[in-house]
Amino acid sequence: AIGANVALVAAGCFIRLVNHTLSTTVGGDTQLLSLRVLIRTVMAMTAAMFASKAFIDSKILAPAAKAAAVAAAADGVAQQKAVKKKKSKGTFAEGIAVLKNSPKIRNLALLVMSYGVGHRCELAL
């Protein structure tokens, strides 16, 4: 949760940096150029995340899963599928009760809803 807030702050700073750099180095209207730089940055970061995920899956998780499978086969223990308990969804009244009892959760919910409404209003303008 805190990582998302840090990412929002970092993204805002990066957008300001790109806009400021382009406005001082390139004369005239820089909106299209700024948009292109930001989109290319998003694409590069997406590629970096995909590459990181592929590396972790192939070099770290796959050998660990293979070693666990070999150990389980060597022990001769048959694994049974765990029966998952179905979580009951809370009612609306229970949700309101949680919001009444916890000011921290109430404030967080208000923050998230305000952010969503503000974002929608910004898109409408």
Side-chain angles (χ1 to χ4, degrees):
I2 197 153
N5 292 331
V6 170
L8 281 172
V9 171
C13 292
F14 180 72
I15 290 171
R16 267 186 269 138
L17 175 73
V18 167
N19 288 334
H20 177 70
T21 303
L22 290 176
S23 67
T24 57
T25 59
V26 177
D29 190 23
T30 61
Q31 285 183 340
L32 182 60
L33 186 58
S34 173
L35 182 63
R36 286 180 179 167
V37 168
L38 294 172
I39 288 174
R40 287 182 180 145
T41 303
V42 168
M43 296 301 289
M45 291 297 114
T46 302
M49 287 190 309
F50 277 133
S52 300
K53 173 86 169 100
F55 176 78
I56 290 171
D57 285 347
S58 66
K59 301 294 183 185
I60 298 171
L61 296 179
K66 191 180 286 185
V70 169
D75 291 341
V77 176
Q79 296 180 355
Q80 296 179 354
K81 290 184 179 179
V83 177
K84 292 184 178 181
K85 292 183 181 179
K86 194 171 187 178
K87 254 187 171 177
S88 65
K89 293 184 177 181
T91 63
F92 182 74
E94 289 172 346
I96 296 297
V98 168
L99 291 175
K100 282 183 181 178
N101 293 335
S102 175
K104 188 175 184 178
I105 293 176
R106 182 178 55 240
N107 291 340
L108 184 60
L110 181 63
L111 173 77
V112 169
M113 291 188 312
S114 300
Y115 180 75
V117 170
H119 183 67
R120 297 232 186 251
C121 290
E122 180 182 331
L123 290 178
L125 297 175

